Amino acid sequence: MSREPKMPGGAAQPDGPAKDGWRPSAVQLERLAYRRRRTLRSGAIAGISTVVLLVLVVFGVGSTPGWPRVRATFFDFHRGWEALPVVAQGLWLNVRVMLVCAVLIVIFGLTLAIMRTLRGPIFFPLRIFAAAYTDIFRGLPLLLVIFLLGFGVPALQLRGLPNQAVIWGGAALVLTYSSYVAEVFRAGIESIHPSQRAAARSLGLSHRQTLRFVVLPQAVRRVLPPLLNDFVSLQKDSGLIAVLGVIDAIRAAQLETAEDFNFTPYVVAGLLFVALTIPLTRLTDWVARRQGWYGAGGGVV
């Protein structure tokens, strides 16, 4: 008498073929069941270890003698709720500065990268300028550039130049981050194999058309994850314009703290920055996985 093949768990496997004509073998079914068990086991271990760690942290911090003072000074819910509208209004300025600067940084950084990758002796001055620019502004601390532009340029009282601190703070962000973004774009451009240029030129495309339709699309696609990482840093560093007196999220938190020396508004500002940064960080991770940046370093040990 024939017996029906058993699937893992005791369920009988049907004798008839599947709808698409394919039926997994017993070995494949056992493999899938093993993977499900490992997934459930890993999830259970991760959940238990996380709960244990959180309990230890809460118990360890809460049992310290200074915790009541720290909680009243840094984690006062009512004080944070009062400061939230003011800090959020300042954060809106950070968002606007970041968006405007991001567009300018992409344009300026891409221009510098193209200038540095130009070939031929006639473009030597452009290559020297692009190299000197990136070397200088990658070497200067961002805070120093903000001080030089935000305090130095308005002090010159030059006609036709704005005196708003937010403009010069944004200019410092653009000048500094353009040097980093230019190197990211240059790495992407130089990673394109020369055969791509040769094939494009053999089809009758000019140098400009080759750069526009063949090289740059591939280069931008390759450097998108590190480019988004730079914009995550820009999102945070936009708070440095507060040193010029601009009422952004950090400066608003500072003014709120000065009223009663309660530092909860700083915590509120930090949480708002984190809430603003996490979505862009997750987008960066997703793009990196699609581009194959992650997952090539081996499995779980």
Side-chain angles (χ1 to χ4, degrees):
M1 185 175 65
S2 62
R3 299 177 58 187
E4 293 181 348
K6 299 292 185 178
M7 292 191 301
Q13 183 178 358
D15 291 331
K19 293 182 179 180
D20 57 356
W22 176 84
R23 185 174 59 188
S25 64
V27 175
Q28 177 67 15
L29 292 174
E30 291 178 1
R31 185 181 295 115
L32 294 176
Y34 173 76
R35 290 176 180 174
R36 284 193 295 267
R37 291 194 300 269
R38 287 296 300 269
T39 301
L40 293 176
R41 177 174 175 271
S42 299
I45 293 176
I48 294 174
S49 62
T50 302
V51 172
V52 171
L53 179 61
L54 289 177
V55 170
L56 292 176
V57 170
V58 171
F59 177 77
V61 174
S63 61
T64 57
W67 169 244
R69 179 64 176 172
V70 171
R71 182 178 57 187
T73 306
F74 289 90
F75 302 102
D76 188 343
F77 177 80
H78 297 288
R79 185 68 184 94
W81 185 257
E82 293 176 357
L84 179 60
V86 180
V87 178
Q89 185 177 1
L91 184 69
W92 173 235
L93 177 62
N94 291 110
V95 173
R96 287 180 292 170
V97 168
M98 189 272 295
L99 293 177
V100 174
C101 290
V103 175
L104 297 177
I105 287 169
V106 169
I107 296 174
F108 196 24
L110 183 58
T111 302
L112 289 170
I114 294 174
M115 290 169 57
R116 195 165 182 182
T117 56
L118 292 174
R119 297 294 179 262
I122 192 173
F123 298 116
F124 180 75
L126 296 180
R127 293 197 300 269
I128 288 296
F129 170 77
Y133 179 92
T134 54
D135 289 343
I136 291 174
F137 282 98
R138 282 194 303 168
L140 289 174
L142 174 57
L143 192 59
L144 180 59
V145 179
I146 292 177
F147 282 145
L148 290 175
L149 293 182
F151 294 134
V153 176
L156 297 177
Q157 297 182 354
L158 300 176
R159 293 182 179 180
L161 293 180
N163 292 325
Q164 290 85 352
V166 64
I167 294 179
W168 292 111
L173 291 172
V174 172
L175 292 176
T176 301
Y177 270 87
S178 294
S179 61
Y180 294 100
V181 172
E183 289 300 288
V184 172
F185 278 129
R186 184 172 73 93
I189 292 174
E190 293 183 348
S191 69
I192 305 301
H193 198 273
S195 61
Q196 298 286 319
R197 296 176 181 265
R201 296 305 298 269
S202 67
L203 294 175
L205 297 181
S206 63
H207 176 76
R208 180 180 301 178
Q209 291 173 331
T210 301
L211 187 64
R212 177 182 177 184
F213 296 109
V214 177
V215 177
L216 286 183
Q218 298 182 71
V220 172
R221 192 181 305 114
R222 291 185 178 184
V223 302
L224 197 54
L227 193 63
L228 290 175
N229 276 326
D230 284 337
F231 289 145
V232 171
S233 298
L234 174 65
Q235 203 168 34
K236 297 180 297 182
D237 288 343
S238 64
L240 293 178
I241 62 176
V243 299
L244 301 179
V246 179
I247 308 299
D248 70 331
I250 297 178
R251 181 63 174 170
Q254 184 182 17
L255 294 176
E256 288 291 318
T257 300
E259 294 181 0
D260 53 5
F261 294 98
N262 188 295
F263 296 96
T264 305
Y266 282 125
V267 178
V268 173
L271 292 177
L272 290 178
F273 271 105
V274 170
L276 193 64
T277 304
I278 285 179
L280 186 56
T281 305
R282 297 286 78 80
L283 175 62
T284 303
D285 294 339
W286 178 77
V287 172
R289 284 192 296 268
R290 285 182 61 90
Q291 297 294 333
W293 283 67
Y294 298 154
V300 179
V301 179

